[in-house]
Amino acid sequence: MEQKRYALGVDFGTLSARCVLVEMHTGEIAASSSCEYPHGVMDTALPCGRPLPADWALQHPQDYIDTLAAAVPEVLRSAGASGTQICGVGIDFTSCTVLPVTAEGTPLCFLPEYASEPHAYVKLWKHHAAQKEATRLNQIAQERGEKFLENYGRKISSEWVVPKAWQILNEAPKLYEKMAYFVEAGDWIVAQLTGRLWRNACAAGYKAIWSKTDGFPSRSFFAALDPRMEDFAETKLNTPILPLGGRAGGITARMAKLTGLAQGTPVAAANLDAHVSCLGAGLTRPGQMLAIMGTSTCHLVNSSRPRPIPGVCGIVPDGLIPGLIGYEAGQSCVGDHFSWFVKNCVPAAYERRAQEEGTGIYEYLTRLAEKKVPGESGLIALDWWNGNRSVLVDGDLSGLLLGCTLGTKPEDIFRALMEATAYGTRMILESFAAAGIPVDEFYAAGGIAQKNPFMMQLYANITGREIRVVESAQLPAFSAALYGALAAGRDGGGCAGIGDAAQLACRRYAIYTPDPGAAAAYDVLYQEYVTLHNYFGRGANDVMKRLKAMRRKGACYHEYE
Ligand SMILES: Nc1ncnc2c1ncn2[C@@H]1O[C@H](COP(=O)(O)OP(=O)(O)O)[C@@H](O)[C@H]1O
Ligand SMILES: O=C(CO)[C@@H](O)[C@@H](O)COP(=O)(O)O
């Protein structure tokens, strides 16, 4: 049999897909490619022009196929590799990114009769228009004393499966009936690659209220939401569960033709774009937290003990690494703050000066921001431009920027937003400490950790911890490739098990240690953040929710005259 030299990994992020070929003997990335989604994030209108309400975030599933068809042949070409040299394929995807499909797995938005129906498209993980359903679900679950709440920090997020499905039922009941399955986009991509539709145990555990011991919630729970949902789990979620590292099947002839991979190449169960990275970073022990910092941030840590933590996103046995209990917390908006700021608030003069200096606008703003000392801008922000995922689990909260004067500069605001995301991470770390889940080491990866050393230094100064940035340019895609090698197995030229695959992990780090002076100043500023966090986030003043309600109604002043 020809030497299987590589494993292929594809990381489907929020804005683009990244593909890597990993050399099996060295664990090095032999080649990489990326491809942006042609429709990006659809948050204002459908391709047909139909406008979308506030807090919607959709994607087009055809984009995922198109990026595969572009990125995989490109990575084979640049490595001079043939498809027959690939031992296995692994993919990871953002989550909970879900779509309604027919029994054959066809997305409903592909059907002409649904092309202009927003609910027929992919609901991206950051879709926050199901908050009403999430709030009602949590009330019902708490009234019923549902045990599963303990595994989700006592509140199910509007970003997860059940609120999103309930919103479809409430707003498009005919489409809900037409929907055979409600699937994770990662599982849908694996079904396109192999012809088989599974539900990966990781996403089921963290996003669909499934547990290995108890399965999905009861029929009576779903009926309490809406009598029409009584059989929701038995019908719309009824695809077989595939554990982490499991083999989903082999590349079909159609996909071999589209991608250049060899027909029959083993494909691993889909994984989540943050969770997948624990293996690739070699973080297989309790107490090692990994923050995947991109559009959002996911904070992941393993423990040998189950402990309830308010505001945690999910507590799932075997969720991150088999044999351990995987905890997930997160911030639904990190890089998105900076993307929003650059798109809406930066003067053209700054763009021009960045171009003249031959640097990117993020790098230009960062360089101006890092000249200041902690507190010099007089600003503080709450990092809730897209709601709060942990520790408040409330998509109806919104951002706050305090302290602006006529002297406030764009770089002051940019820095305040970076600091606010670090305060949010410190809040999460403190919630784990208070719950007795130790976090002994803190690692970071993802686009921001790779691109912004100053921000990583801020995180060290604000959390008071050493930050180890994993030096893998594409950690999620790299890790997904290791799962592809696991699906192949030793006899297939891949890896025999998790321990074997972890031998290939990336253990090179850029280390950031706290500056004592800055850390002392940030201890004071962080207390101001906590005061604002608790005042606006815990019910003392629900002005943020009132304002969002007005925005949703499209209210304007004259209606209140
Ligand atoms: N130099 C930078 N500093 C801070 N944020 C950045 C920088 N460059 C890009 N970003 C942000 O990183 C996010 C993209 O993160 P990345 O991990 O590449 O993608 P994804 O979130 O799709 O996985 C965007 O929200 C963008 O605003
Ligand atoms: O929520 C999860 C995983 O649980 C992420 O997929 C989601 O936050 C999106 O991640 P990115 O910021 O796009 O990397």
Side-chain angles (χ1 to χ4, degrees):
M1 177 180 69
E2 184 184 8
Q3 180 68 13
K4 298 287 184 185
R5 287 192 54 202
Y6 306 101
L8 180 89
V10 188
D11 166 35
F12 289 85
T14 297
L15 302 168
S16 64
R18 285 76 64 154
C19 182
V20 295
L21 269 190
V22 175
E23 223 291 329
M24 289 309 295
H25 294 295
T26 62
E28 292 304 319
I29 291 179
S32 63
S33 64
S34 68
C35 182
E36 297 209 346
Y37 303 141
H39 294 88
V41 175
M42 301 188 298
D43 54 12
T44 52
L46 289 183
C48 64
R50 178 173 171 173
L52 295 173
D55 300 324
W56 278 65
L58 306 179
Q59 283 191 324
H60 200 307
Q62 187 57 43
D63 287 359
Y64 308 141
I65 301 298
D66 294 348
T67 46
L68 266 184
V72 176
E74 170 57 31
V75 84
L76 293 174
R77 251 193 315 274
S78 53
S82 77
T84 55
Q85 292 179 281
I86 311 300
C87 70
V89 177
I91 73 107
D92 69 78
F93 219 105
T94 64
S95 178
C96 170
T97 297
V98 282
L99 65 154
V101 299
T102 65
E104 297 71 35
T106 303
L108 294 192
C109 61
F110 283 7
L111 306 178
E113 63 269 36
Y114 290 109
S116 60
E117 167 49 69
H119 283 294
Y121 287 81
V122 177
K123 283 184 173 61
L124 190 57
W125 61 272
K126 60 190 271 191
H127 176 87
H128 278 170
Q131 184 58 53
K132 174 168 63 63
E133 285 77 11
T135 302
R136 184 70 189 116
L137 183 157
N138 288 316
Q139 282 166 350
I140 291 169
Q142 277 149 22
E143 286 158 9
R144 294 169 52 94
E146 294 287 347
K147 194 159 65 84
F148 64 69
L149 282 178
E150 284 309 322
N151 296 331
Y152 298 93
R154 302 212 52 75
K155 281 170 90 173
I156 299 298
S157 166
S158 62
E159 297 178 4
W160 301 167
V161 165
V162 181
K164 284 176 175 172
W166 194 3
Q167 184 195 4
I168 294 176
L169 176 59
N170 285 338
E171 297 173 9
K174 286 193 173 55
L175 184 135
Y176 179 89
E177 281 313 308
K178 175 77 179 177
M179 167 171 78
Y181 301 113
F182 197 43
V183 300
E184 287 275 347
D187 292 322
W188 183 74
I189 280 292
V190 166
Q192 301 311 300
L193 290 169
T194 65
R196 299 191 61 186
L197 186 56
W198 301 88
R199 185 171 300 277
N200 73 83
C202 182
Y206 287 102
K207 314 295 180 183
I209 321 182
W210 174 84
S211 84
K212 205 166 47 174
T213 48
D214 304 326
F216 290 107
S218 65
R219 288 174 63 94
S220 66
F221 165 73
F222 286 112
L225 302 183
D226 184 306
R228 295 169 294 175
M229 283 189 85
E230 182 170 7
D231 61 356
F232 173 66
E234 292 151 21
T235 53
K236 316 289 186 188
L237 303 185
N238 185 28
T239 47
I241 304 272
L242 192 56
L244 213 52
R247 176 170 173 166
I251 293 288
T252 61
R254 169 179 168 261
M255 271 299 160
K257 193 164 181 305
L258 189 75
T259 62
L261 292 167
Q263 185 174 347
T265 303
V267 179
N271 209 317
L272 274 58
D273 63 339
H275 307 57
V276 70
S277 301
C278 291
L279 175 61
L283 304 181
T284 57
R285 295 196 316 273
Q288 299 173 310
M289 179 172 274
L290 175 62
I292 300 290
M293 301 171 68
T295 307
S296 69
T297 289
C298 293
H299 305 79
L300 306 167
V301 66
N302 282 297
S303 175
S304 50
R305 297 175 293 179
R307 281 274 190 289
I309 304 183
V312 76
C313 299
I315 304 173
V316 178
D318 305 336
L320 301 174
I321 295 291
L324 291 172
I325 296 170
Y327 288 75
E328 175 190 2
Q331 293 166 271
S332 45
C333 183
V334 174
D336 249 351
H337 283 102
F338 317 131
S339 175
W340 164 82
F341 182 72
V342 161
K343 283 178 191 158
N344 296 284
C345 309
V346 173
Y350 276 62
E351 296 275 3
R352 267 198 312 278
R353 280 203 286 277
Q355 277 171 7
E356 286 156 11
E357 295 182 17
T359 182
I361 188 62
Y362 287 112
E363 291 72 17
Y364 181 72
L365 285 166
T366 300
R367 203 168 63 241
L368 295 176
E370 68 183 325
K371 290 177 181 161
K372 310 268 180 157
V373 297
E376 181 178 350
S377 67
L379 300 182
I380 197 162
L382 287 178
D383 51 312
W384 302 345
W385 263 247
N386 197 10
N388 177 285
R389 182 185 286 178
S390 292
V391 302
L392 299 169
V393 196
D394 192 339
D396 265 348
L397 295 172
S398 51
L400 176 80
L401 181 63
L402 200 58
C404 284
T405 68
L406 295 176
T408 298
K409 295 284 185 201
E411 57 270 30
D412 296 327
I413 299 172
F414 189 69
R415 180 174 177 136
L417 292 174
M418 287 197 269
E419 290 168 339
T421 65
Y423 296 141
T425 283
R426 177 168 169 171
M427 179 71 75
I428 288 168
L429 283 165
E430 292 186 352
S431 71
F432 276 87
I437 297 292
V439 175
D440 309 318
E441 300 163 13
F442 190 96
Y443 298 82
I448 292 181
Q450 290 297 320
K451 297 172 188 169
N452 199 314
F454 169 65
M455 191 158 155
M456 301 323 297
Q457 184 59 52
L458 269 188
Y459 272 62
N461 293 341
I462 287 175
T463 62
R465 284 173 171 269
E466 177 185 273
I467 308 278
R468 298 179 189 174
V469 172
V470 183
E471 293 273 81
S472 170
Q474 289 293 351
L475 183 60
F478 168 74
S479 301
L482 297 188
Y483 278 98
L486 275 172
R490 166 72 70 199
D491 296 345
C495 296
I498 288 282
D500 191 18
Q503 296 303 314
L504 296 172
C506 175
R507 291 183 169 85
R508 299 184 306 277
Y509 311 109
I511 310 274
Y512 297 84
T513 51
D515 169 83
Y522 277 123
D523 283 343
V524 174
L525 285 164
Y526 174 67
Q527 291 313 317
E528 298 296 354
Y529 174 87
V530 171
T531 300
L532 295 170
H533 175 283
N534 293 336
Y535 177 74
F536 287 103
R538 297 187 188 279
N541 185 333
D542 284 337
V543 59
M544 291 177 175
K545 295 175 184 279
R546 292 193 295 273
L547 291 172
K548 268 210 168 176
M550 289 168 76
R551 179 167 161 257
R552 267 196 286 272
K553 285 197 201 97
C556 57
Y557 179 75
H558 67 272
E559 282 185 14
Y560 289 81
E561 275 172 338

